[in-house]
C-alpha cells in the first residue's frame, strides 16, 4: 500500500460509435483509454475514481520474450450495480493482482474499456488512475539500530559475585526518569540579566 | 386543649428556626465555612501523616499571614512550608503550592518593585533551604545552586521560580536514588563498591541520557532499551571478568554521589 505509483501516460479516451462520429448526434456508450508505462512493470494494484462508468474491462499488453501480447485480465467488472442509478457513480475502486484472470507481469500498456449502457448520463469516464507495482522484498524502511540489540544474548552471563541487575537497572531507570522530568520542565524564561529594557541599543549601553 | 398544644408547638418551632437562621447568618458572615472548606481541601491535597498537626500549622500560618509587616525570614519559612505539602510528582498540587509560595514572597513589597517577581536574595535563600531540607549537603548542592540561583538584586519571574524550585526538589530525589544505587552496586553494606562496576553503571546512565534528540517516544524507547536489566548485566559482566571480582580498587559513596550529581547538573540550564 505504501508503494509509490508508477509514472504513466494516460491517453485521452476514444469513443466507439456506430456511424460517423461527426454527423451522428447520439452519445457514445463505450470509451477506450490507453495507459502506457515507461518500462515493464509487475502490477500490484490499479486504483481509480469512477465517474458514472457502469462496467470496465481491463486488457493488458505484456512483453514476454521479444513479443507483445494482449490479454484480458478483467472482463465487464461492474462498478455501478444499476447503471441508471447513482450508486457507485463517484466511488473509488482498486483492482488487485489476485482479482485478475492472468498474472499482470511485465506489462507495458494497460487498456481500459469503459461501458455505460444507460442513456441517463451525458458523460462518463474514470479519473485519477494510479498503477502500483509489486513491492520489492528489500525495500523495507530502515529499522533503528537499537531494536536489533533487544533480543537477549544467547549464552547465559556469569553473574556470580555481581550485583543484582534488576535492582541496579531499576535505580538507574528512576534516576534517568528524574533527569528527564527536570529537563522537560526547563523553560526559556530568563531573568533578563543582559537585557536593557528588552532590547540592545548601542547608545543606551554606553550610559550603563 | 388542642388549640393550646398546637399554639405551643408553633411557638417552639418558630424560635428554633430563628436560631437556625441566626446560626447560618453567623457562619456566612464570618467566612468560617469558607475557611474550613479551604483547610479541608489543603488537607486532602497533601495527605500528611499527622492531620491534626497539619491543621494546627495551617491555621497558625493563616493567622500570621493576616498580620501586616511579616518579616522576610517568616515569609521564607512560610513559603517553604507550603512547598513541603506536596511531592513534585503530584504535579497539579505542587504547582498550586509553588504559586502560593511565589505570592507569599512577592507580597509586602511595593507594586512597582515587585513587578518583575521575587527578589533575588529571597529566591536564592529559598533554594538553599529547599536543598538542605531535602537532605542535600552544602557541597553536593553547591554546583546546582551556582547554576540556578540569581544575584541578590535581580528579580525572578514566576516561570523561573517554578523551574528552580522543581529542579531542587527533583535533585534531592535524584541524590537519594543514587545513594540506593551505590548500595545496590556495593552488594555488601560494609564493603565499598568496585570502581570498575561503578564506572560501568554510571556510563550506562550517561548513555541513556545522551540519547540523540528525536521524537519523544522514540527517544524514550531507545534510552530505556539501554538501561534494561539485560543490558546492565551485560555491561557489568564485561568489566568484571570472573577472576577479578572483589579484587580491584574501590570507589567510596561520596565520590559516586558526586559523579552521579555531575551527570544531572550538566543538564541543568544556567540562569541568564
Amino acid at each position: 500500500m505504501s508503494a509509490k505509483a508508477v509514472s504513466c501516460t494516460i491517453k485521452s479516451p476514444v469513443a466507439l460509435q456506430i456511424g460517423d462520429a461527426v454527423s451522428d448526434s447520439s452519445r457514445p456508450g463505450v470509451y477506450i483509454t490507453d495507459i502506457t508505462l515507461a518500462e515493464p512493470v509487475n502490477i500490484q494494484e490499479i486504483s481509480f475514481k469512477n465517474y458514472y462508468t457502469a462496467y470496465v474491462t481491463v486488457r493488458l499488453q505484456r512483453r514476454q520474450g521479444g513479443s507483445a501480447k494482449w490479454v484480458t485480465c478483467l472482463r465487464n467488472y461492474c462498478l455501478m450495480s444499476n447503471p441508471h442509478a447513482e450508486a457507485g457513480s463517484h466511488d473509488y475502486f482498486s483492482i488487485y493482482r489476485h482479482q485478475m484472470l492472468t498474472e499482470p507481469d511485465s506489462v507495458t500498456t494497460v487498456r481500459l474499456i469503459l461501458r455505460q449502457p444507460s442513456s441517463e448520463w451525458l458523460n462518463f469516464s474514470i479519473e485519477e488512475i494510479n498503477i502500483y507495482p509489486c513491492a520489492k522484498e528489500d525495500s523495507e524502511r530502515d529499522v533503528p539500530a537499537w531494536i536489533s540489540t533487544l533480543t537477549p544474548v544467547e549464552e547465559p552471563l556469569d553473574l556470580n559475585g555481581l550485583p543484582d541487575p534488576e535492582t541496579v537497572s531499576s535505580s538507574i531507570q528512576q534516576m534517568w526518569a528524574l533527569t528527564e522530568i527536570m529537563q522537560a520542565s526547563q523553560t526559556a524564561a530568563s531573568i533578563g540579566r543582559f537585557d536593557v529594557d528588552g532590547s540592545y541599543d548601542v547608545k543606551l549601553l554606553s550610559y550603563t | 386543649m388542642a388549640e393550646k398544644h398546637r399554639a405551643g408547638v408553633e411557638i417552639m418551632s418558630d424560635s428554633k428556626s430563628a436560631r437556625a437562621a441566626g446560626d447560618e447568618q453567623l457562619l456566612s458572615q464570618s467566612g468560617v465555612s469558607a475557611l474550613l472548606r479551604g483547610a479541608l481541601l489543603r488537607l486532602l491535597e497533601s495527605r500528611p501523616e499527622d492531620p491534626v498537626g497539619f491543621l494546627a500549622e495551617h491555621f497558625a500560618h493563616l493567622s500570621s499571614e493576616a498580620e501586616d509587616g511579616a518579616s522576610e525570614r517568616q515569609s521564607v519559612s512560610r513559603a517553604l512550608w507550603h512547598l513541603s505539602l506536596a511531592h513534585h510528582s503530584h504535579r497539579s498540587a505542587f504547582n498550586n503550592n509553588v504559586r502560593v509560595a511565589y505570592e507569599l514572597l512577592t507580597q509586602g513589597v511595593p507594586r512597582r518593585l515587585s513587578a518583575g517577581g521575587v527578589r533575588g536574595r529571597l529566591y536564592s535563600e529559598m533554594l538553599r533551604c529547599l536543598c538542605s531540607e531535602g537532605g542535600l549537603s552544602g557541597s553536593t548542592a553547591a554546583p546546582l545552586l551556582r547554576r540556578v540561583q540569581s544575584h541578590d538584586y535581580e528579580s525572578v519571574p514566576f516561570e523561573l521560580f517554578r523551574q528552580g524550585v522543581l529542579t531542587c526538589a527533583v535533585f534531592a530525589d535524584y541524590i537519594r536514588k543514587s545513594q540506593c544505587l551505590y548500595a545496590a552496586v556495593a552488594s555488601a553494606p560494609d564493603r565499598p563498591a568496585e570502581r570498575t562496576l561503578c564506572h560501568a553503571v554510571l556510563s550506562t546512565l550517561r548513555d541513556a541520557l545522551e540519547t540523540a534528540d528525536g521524537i519523544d517516544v522514540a527517544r524514550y524507547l531507545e534510552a530505556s532499551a539501554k538501561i534494561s536489566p539485560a543490558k546492565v548485566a551485560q555491561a557489568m559482566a564485561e568489566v568484571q571478568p570472573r577472576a577479578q571480582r572483589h579484587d580491584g580498587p574501590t570507589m567510596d559513596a561520596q565520590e559516586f554521589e558526586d559523579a552521579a550529581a555531575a551527570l544531572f547538573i550538566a543538564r541543568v540550564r544556567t540562569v541568564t
Side-chain angles (χ1 to χ4, degrees):
Chain A
M1 280 303 288
S2 60
K4 296 209 189 70
V6 178
S7 67
C8 46
T9 333
I10 303 173
K11 301 207 178 96
S12 56
V14 172
L16 290 187
Q17 272 178 299
I18 301 172
D20 203 349
V22 176
S23 57
D24 212 342
S25 59
S26 67
R27 291 191 294 273
V30 185
Y31 277 106
I32 301 194
T33 309
D34 272 357
I35 305 167
T36 25
L37 301 169
E39 48 175 24
V41 168
N42 300 351
I43 296 180
Q44 174 69 24
E45 177 192 348
I46 304 176
S47 71
F48 54 87
K49 182 177 187 307
N50 188 17
Y51 185 74
Y52 292 104
T53 308
Y55 303 99
V56 69
T57 299
V58 181
R59 300 197 86 216
L60 305 170
Q61 184 181 37
R62 287 196 300 196
R63 180 168 303 279
Q64 278 165 339
S67 64
K69 243 179 64 156
W70 279 102
V71 287
T72 308
C73 73
L74 207 61
R75 194 186 297 278
N76 280 337
Y77 185 62
C78 177
L79 304 177
M80 286 165 64
S81 46
N82 181 358
H84 301 293
E86 285 277 347
S89 56
H90 288 273
D91 285 357
Y92 287 86
F93 288 93
S94 281
I95 301 175
Y96 294 98
R97 224 185 136 90
H98 59 81
Q99 292 171 280
M100 300 183 184
L101 297 168
T102 54
E103 293 297 323
D105 293 329
S106 318
V107 175
T108 49
T109 318
V110 179
R111 178 170 286 167
L112 300 164
I113 302 170
L114 315 175
R115 297 202 304 110
Q116 177 50 275
S118 167
S119 58
E120 291 270 325
W121 317 111
L122 290 176
N123 254 323
F124 63 94
S125 65
I126 60 175
E127 297 154 1
E128 294 176 33
I129 305 171
N130 284 312
I131 299 181
Y132 297 97
C134 292
K136 294 193 205 23
E137 288 305 317
D138 53 343
S139 68
E140 292 300 324
R141 268 182 298 226
D142 289 329
V143 173
W146 57 268
I147 286 188
S148 53
T149 62
L150 278 181
T151 49
V153 172
E154 294 306 327
E155 64 273 9
L157 296 166
D158 182 7
L159 294 176
N160 247 334
L162 283 181
D164 175 30
E166 297 276 337
T167 335
V168 172
S169 165
S170 122
S171 292
I172 298 183
Q173 286 168 27
Q174 291 177 52
M175 288 165 72
W176 173 79
L178 285 169
T179 318
E180 285 293 324
I181 289 177
M182 182 275 294
Q183 279 188 290
S185 74
Q186 307 269 37
T187 67
S190 74
I191 286 187
R193 207 169 268 174
F194 304 113
D195 286 352
V196 181
D197 281 339
S199 66
Y200 284 103
D201 190 324
V202 179
K203 281 195 280 203
L204 276 181
L205 279 176
S206 68
Y207 293 135
T208 56
Chain B
M1 281 278 273
E3 281 176 2
K4 267 196 206 158
H5 276 296
R6 224 180 21 249
V9 165
E10 276 173 11
I11 291 172
M12 282 271 289
S13 60
D14 269 346
S15 66
K16 256 197 209 159
S17 60
R19 211 170 55 220
D23 286 344
E24 273 177 29
Q25 230 179 0
L26 171 70
L27 285 179
S28 59
Q29 267 178 352
S30 56
V32 167
S33 52
L35 264 180
L36 286 175
R37 199 178 328 133
L40 285 177
L41 280 174
R42 298 293 270 166
L43 182 72
L44 286 173
E45 249 182 27
S46 47
R47 298 193 185 250
E49 272 135 23
D50 173 25
V52 178
F54 173 85
L55 284 173
E57 275 187 9
H58 175 79
F59 285 116
H61 281 284
L62 268 184
S63 66
S64 57
E65 272 167 33
E67 303 160 7
D68 286 326
S71 75
E72 275 182 1
R73 182 78 236 149
Q74 277 180 325
S75 314
V76 173
S77 64
R78 264 189 257 136
L80 278 171
W81 180 77
H82 278 284
L83 286 173
S84 65
L85 293 180
H87 189 250
H88 66 81
S89 57
H90 305 149
R91 191 48 62 91
S92 55
F94 186 78
N95 283 342
N96 287 343
N97 295 339
V98 171
R99 177 52 83 171
V100 171
Y102 181 79
E103 300 288 324
L104 265 177
L105 290 177
T106 50
Q107 81 185 115
V109 180
R111 189 78 201 134
R112 87 193 140 73
L113 284 182
S114 76
V118 173
R119 262 212 305 261
R121 190 161 45 80
L122 286 181
Y123 173 67
S124 306
E125 199 177 318
M126 273 268 330
L127 292 183
R128 264 197 300 277
C129 297
L130 258 183
C131 287
S132 61
E133 274 191 14
L136 297 171
S137 71
S139 55
T140 318
L144 176 70
L145 287 175
R146 266 200 295 276
R147 285 212 179 196
V148 281
Q149 69 189 11
S150 62
H151 292 308
D152 287 350
Y153 54 85
E154 288 173 327
S155 83
V156 179
F158 175 69
E159 270 310 314
L160 215 51
F161 180 82
R162 192 181 74 89
Q163 180 188 309
V165 166
L166 184 63
T167 306
C168 289
V170 170
F171 185 61
D173 272 352
Y174 179 88
I175 291 295
R176 265 196 292 278
K177 279 277 155 272
S178 74
Q179 288 163 350
C180 295
L181 181 60
Y182 182 78
V185 174
S187 68
D190 52 344
R191 241 203 328 241
E194 299 285 318
R195 180 167 284 269
T196 43
L197 276 182
C198 292
H199 279 307
V201 159
L202 286 173
S203 59
T204 37
L205 177 59
R206 191 184 310 117
D207 275 342
L209 287 173
E210 284 171 1
T211 312
D213 287 326
I215 320 169
D216 274 341
V217 176
R219 211 161 56 85
Y220 292 160
L221 283 176
E222 193 176 342
S224 49
K226 290 182 185 166
I227 48 183
S228 64
K231 276 283 188 201
V232 168
Q234 205 178 0
M236 292 196 295
E238 268 169 23
V239 296
Q240 286 244 314
R242 183 128 198 228
Q244 289 177 22
R245 280 165 205 181
H246 304 309
D247 282 345
T250 59
M251 188 193 279
D252 69 344
Q254 188 58 49
E255 198 185 334
F256 186 84
E257 197 178 296
D258 290 340
L263 284 177
F264 182 96
I265 295 175
R267 280 161 184 80
V268 174
R269 198 178 67 96
T270 318
V271 158
T272 55

